[in-house]
Amino acid sequence: MIIVLLGVSGCGKTTVGKKLSQKIGIPFFDGDDFHPKSNIDKMTKGMSLNDDDRYPWLLSLASNIETWSEENGAILACSALKEKYRAVLSSRYNDIIWVHLSGSYDLIKGRIEKRGGHFMNADLLTSQFKDLEMPEYGIHIDISESPEKITKNIISKLENLNQSFFGVIGLGVMGSSLSLNIAEKGYALSVYNRIAPGEEHMVSDFLNKADEVMQIKGFTELEAFVNSLERPRKILIMIKAGKAIDAVIEAIIPILSEGDILIDGGNSHYLDTNKRYEYLISKQLHFIGCGVSGGEEGARKGPSIMPGGAKESYQIIKPVLEAIAAKDKKGNACCTYVGPQGAGHFVKMVHNGIEYAEMQLLAEIYALLSITNNNEEIATILSQWNTTDLSSYLLEITINILKTKENGKYVLDTILDKAGNKGTGSWSTKAGFDLGTVNTMMSSAVFARYISSFKEKRKQLSKFIKSDLKTTDVLDVNSLEKAYRFARIINHHQGFELIRLASKTFNWQLNISEIARIWTNGCIIRSEFMETSVDVFKDYESYLDTTDLLEVLISAENHITKSITYSLSHRVPFDTFWSAYNHWIAITTENLPANLIQAQRDYFGAHTYQKIDAPKGQFFHTNWY
């Protein structure tokens, strides 16, 4: 093994080299000892060496490196400031481990001024820093620590040589796409997938589609996979949420080391993430619950990433996550530290709840427009909307879906009307119940999917309904556009209110504007409105605190009622729009009939009530019978 400690004079090459030699049992040589007398005389006089001075010295060292490589190896302290100097040093033996000892000018100048008996003085340091070309390869060590700590850090880095920087468990659609994204960014990667029926060739198939220049190792044995990673190990788990996550955690704990980091990148429930976080702390391990949005394409080209857990854990994995994330309009990564424990997965859950409602709104618009328009005509209408502030990824793909044909038929017309769901929408709904906030649009969207699953029952009951509705009203497309804008504001309002209340309840101190920012690209709900939301939440707590958005909602109220009326007269389910409208009407109504609710509760359960003209906090009971 040949190790070259490089850096400007005064960075500690000799001190560290001797300590490293003692620790790993490889002879130490100081490159300064090989300078010819003419070079030493020149430097003693305060004169800088030029390339002509250095070249014979570098050739001599290269010759010695070749000899040492055939014997017991060597640790060589040599400034090797320029790339061409390093090229000469490695001209006879190119398997050198380069270790750059790096520190600030002021730190090194102070050290030089304190030491004596050396031909290098502080005046030459400026020229050395000017000449220094830091290598992009090798090991880089901060010299602000003690020589003992520096030596320990070098040994740790040496042990990690040829090991992967990052690991991924699970090579399904998302796992394989994220893995290629990580490797493409230059990170040495190890991947693992179990051998199970239908998954026997997943690792080999993945490696076959990876680019040859990517540094990827594939494993089907968990222990070999873990051992291939440098410490602290950083492992992203991309498998189905639920019991499978716990099974992997239990299997991997015995072969991990203190300080290793597990990252759950699936759609796990935030309460499960909280439990896993606490459990792994007890095992001296770090755990990050990381929401990832963008689907297969986003995972490969740049998703929106929502990590939660300990902030110090995030700092370790931050370079990888931010490298693979989508970029916002300013070029910043659509990835940020969200908050502690399960905050990342909570935010991803709400993202999916907003997504459910956004999708259902478009489905209901499609149903209404289909009464009098074909797919192409609907696509044309939506395309015009997509040139306005309504522009969004979901609107864009809906337009493409409407226009796509196979064998002369619209693909959309061949798809069975039974919508699937994976639970995150219902989780958002339940979280709203648990935290005491309103997310009726998400719940309406979830229930719409549930109703769609009863296809046979719907088909049976539809036979009892007369289809010859006679109505002369015409759909006002302009009103529908305004109704859609209205409903989207309410949907986003309900979603962000859920996040805000969770932050307050769990003391997560979430940055709502920053969450909106990482949703401006990469994720499914990216949109022009999300761009607007970033600035809104810098100045306001809620959309309803802004005069501009309030005016949009007020002016659109008449238009959403027109669209709802049209849906009623044509028997078109329009529940998500209804939910948006009902929320708005209720939130802007001073007196609601909740007084009757309180009277009923007091009547049958003596739950008491407050009075209009009584002090706040004073409760009353009536003997109703």
Side-chain angles (χ1 to χ4, degrees):
M1 179 187 293
I2 300 294
I3 301 171
V4 174
L5 301 176
L6 67 97
V8 300
S9 184
C11 68
K13 298 187 292 295
T14 301
T15 301
V16 171
K18 290 178 179 179
K19 290 184 177 295
L20 186 61
S21 175
Q22 292 172 357
K23 291 289 185 181
I24 65 177
I26 295 177
F28 170 74
F29 300 94
D30 193 331
D32 289 343
D33 294 339
F34 295 83
H35 271 297
K37 186 176 183 302
S38 58
N39 285 3
I40 295 174
D41 290 342
K42 192 172 183 178
M43 287 187 286
T44 303
K45 294 176 183 177
M47 300 170 65
S48 299
L49 298 180
N50 57 37
D51 289 352
D52 290 338
D53 296 323
R54 289 189 177 98
Y55 190 67
W57 169 62
L58 293 169
L59 281 178
S60 173
L61 289 176
S63 179
N64 279 286
I65 287 172
E66 182 181 25
T67 301
W68 296 331
S69 69
E70 296 170 353
E71 297 173 352
N72 299 319
I75 299 170
L76 174 65
C78 176
S79 54
L81 298 178
K82 296 183 179 180
E83 186 62 35
K84 63 182 180 180
Y85 302 162
R86 296 189 285 271
V88 175
L89 289 173
S90 59
S91 60
R92 296 193 180 186
Y93 179 78
N94 61 13
D95 198 16
I96 295 173
I97 300 170
W98 302 93
V99 180
H100 178 217
L101 301 181
S102 176
S104 69
Y105 175 86
D106 290 338
L107 173 64
I108 296 173
K109 182 174 182 290
R111 290 182 178 180
I112 289 175
E113 290 172 341
K114 288 179 181 178
R115 75 183 185 183
H118 195 278
F119 53 76
M120 171 65 72
N121 60 54
D123 293 337
L124 294 177
L125 187 60
T126 301
S127 66
Q128 288 220 341
F129 265 93
K130 184 178 180 181
D131 288 342
L132 175 62
E133 297 172 359
M134 287 193 292
E136 295 181 357
Y137 48 84
I139 297 170
H140 295 258
I141 299 292
D142 180 4
I143 65 165
S144 60
E145 305 274 5
S146 67
E148 291 75 17
K149 178 66 174 177
I150 293 170
T151 303
K152 184 178 179 181
N153 289 343
I154 292 173
I155 292 172
S156 175
K157 294 287 186 180
L158 290 172
E159 289 174 349
N160 287 334
L161 281 178
N162 299 319
Q163 290 187 303
S164 296
F165 182 78
F166 203 82
V168 176
I169 292 177
L171 291 175
V173 171
M174 290 294 287
S176 60
S177 295
L178 284 170
S179 294
L180 291 172
N181 190 347
I182 293 167
E184 189 175 65
K185 299 302 184 294
Y187 289 99
L189 180 72
S190 289
V191 297
Y192 164 84
N193 202 90
R194 64 178 183 170
I195 296 178
E199 299 183 37
E200 297 90 344
H201 305 293
M202 289 192 73
V203 173
S204 58
D205 289 347
F206 171 78
L207 294 176
N208 287 335
K209 68 181 179 182
D211 196 300
E212 290 183 1
V213 300
M214 294 179 177
Q215 304 174 68
I216 304 178
K217 300 174 184 176
F219 298 88
T220 55
E221 293 183 2
L222 193 58
E223 186 169 359
F225 163 75
V226 170
N227 290 336
S228 74
L229 299 168
E230 69 173 61
R231 298 180 185 176
R233 300 179 180 100
K234 300 161 283 291
I235 301 172
L236 175 63
I237 303 172
M238 294 301 302
I239 63 175
K240 186 178 180 180
K243 293 182 179 179
I245 298 287
D246 293 318
V248 167
I249 289 173
E250 290 302 324
I252 203 171
I253 284 176
I255 47 181
L256 293 177
S257 303
E258 182 178 339
D260 289 348
I261 304 171
L262 294 180
I263 310 152
D264 176 9
N267 278 331
S268 291
H269 194 284
Y270 76 99
L271 293 178
D272 291 337
T273 302
N274 286 348
K275 292 176 184 176
R276 290 165 187 150
Y277 174 85
E278 297 296 338
Y279 174 62
L280 286 167
I281 283 178
S282 72
K283 302 292 184 180
Q284 287 77 53
L285 298 169
H286 300 273
F287 188 68
I288 294 286
C290 187
V292 180
S293 176
E296 180 180 4
E297 182 180 12
R300 181 66 184 87
K301 297 179 180 179
S304 173
I305 305 177
M306 298 148 259
K311 195 164 189 177
E312 57 269 27
S313 304
Y314 172 69
Q315 292 300 324
I316 297 172
I317 62 173
K318 174 182 176 179
V320 178
L321 297 189
E322 293 196 358
I324 66 172
K327 302 299 182 285
D328 65 17
K329 286 186 175 179
K330 294 182 179 179
N332 298 316
C334 289
C335 171
T336 191
Y337 172 70
V338 173
Q341 297 182 315
H345 274 145
F346 186 93
V347 167
K348 175 56 164 56
M349 175 190 73
V350 177
H351 167 285
N352 287 15
I354 295 172
E355 176 188 310
Y356 267 55
E358 291 291 290
M359 294 171 70
Q360 184 61 30
L361 286 173
L362 286 167
E364 291 174 5
I365 288 169
Y366 160 70
L368 221 58
L369 289 172
S370 294
I371 296 170
T372 55
N373 297 273
N374 60 35
N375 288 4
E376 291 287 347
E377 291 168 337
I378 297 172
T380 299
I381 293 169
L382 299 187
S383 294
Q384 192 279 322
W385 293 4
N386 204 39
T387 63
T388 70
D389 59 299
L390 292 173
S391 173
S392 73
Y393 169 74
L394 281 171
L395 186 56
E396 178 185 326
I397 68 168
T398 300
I399 294 164
N400 291 337
I401 289 168
L402 284 161
K403 295 192 293 185
T404 301
K405 290 183 177 181
E406 283 183 0
N407 301 320
K409 293 183 178 180
Y410 289 107
V411 174
L412 183 58
D413 296 342
T414 69
I415 298 175
L416 185 66
D417 57 330
K418 290 176 65 174
N421 73 92
K422 292 186 176 181
T424 49
S426 59
W427 291 351
S428 296
T429 297
K430 188 175 184 301
F433 286 129
D434 293 340
L435 293 171
T437 190
V438 179
N439 56 355
T440 50
M441 292 186 67
M442 296 180 191
S443 57
S444 291
V446 172
F447 289 134
R449 294 195 188 192
Y450 290 170
I451 291 174
S452 76
S453 68
F454 304 127
K455 176 65 177 179
E456 294 305 315
K457 190 65 175 178
R458 289 190 290 115
K459 186 176 180 180
Q460 176 189 345
L461 292 174
S462 68
K463 296 176 181 177
F464 295 98
I465 304 301
K466 294 181 179 180
S467 58
D468 57 342
L469 289 173
K470 295 180 180 179
T471 177
T472 58
D473 59 329
V474 177
L475 177 63
D476 185 338
V477 175
N478 180 59
S479 284
L480 184 59
E481 178 186 349
K482 290 179 169 59
Y484 180 46
R485 182 176 290 106
F486 177 104
R488 292 190 70 226
I489 294 173
I490 298 297
N491 179 34
H492 284 70
H493 167 70
Q494 291 186 351
F496 279 109
E497 279 295 290
L498 182 53
I499 293 173
R500 187 183 65 80
L501 189 57
S503 178
K504 182 178 180 181
T505 302
F506 303 130
N507 194 29
W508 281 343
Q509 299 180 351
L510 304 184
N511 185 330
I512 307 297
S513 175
E514 183 68 358
I515 290 169
R517 184 192 67 77
I518 66 172
W519 285 351
T520 59
N521 199 11
C523 70
I524 303 301
I525 60 172
R526 60 186 186 266
S527 67
E528 190 71 27
F529 184 61
M530 195 64 73
E531 297 275 357
T532 300
S533 302
V534 178
D535 291 329
V536 167
F537 291 119
K538 286 179 180 177
D539 300 323
Y540 303 98
E541 197 173 70
S542 163
Y543 290 113
L544 303 187
D545 295 333
T546 70
T547 302
D548 290 345
L549 291 178
L550 273 176
E551 288 178 354
V552 171
L553 292 168
I554 292 168
S555 63
E557 185 175 321
N558 181 53
H559 296 284
I560 194 169
T561 57
K562 281 185 180 180
S563 297
I564 290 171
T565 301
Y566 185 87
S567 73
L568 288 171
S569 64
H570 289 80
R571 293 194 82 254
V572 174
F574 212 55
D575 192 43
T576 316
F577 277 89
W578 261 109
S579 296
Y581 178 66
N582 283 334
H583 180 95
W584 169 250
I585 293 300
I587 204 70
T588 55
T589 298
E590 182 178 358
N591 296 313
L592 294 171
N595 55 333
L596 178 58
I597 302 295
Q598 283 301 94
Q600 291 169 334
R601 293 178 73 242
D602 187 59
Y603 191 104
F604 64 70
H607 292 294
T608 73
Y609 53 84
Q610 298 179 76
K611 285 190 174 182
I612 295 170
D613 55 356
K616 185 178 181 181
Q618 186 175 354
F619 290 84
F620 299 86
H621 167 63
T622 293
N623 185 9
W624 300 93
Y625 47 86

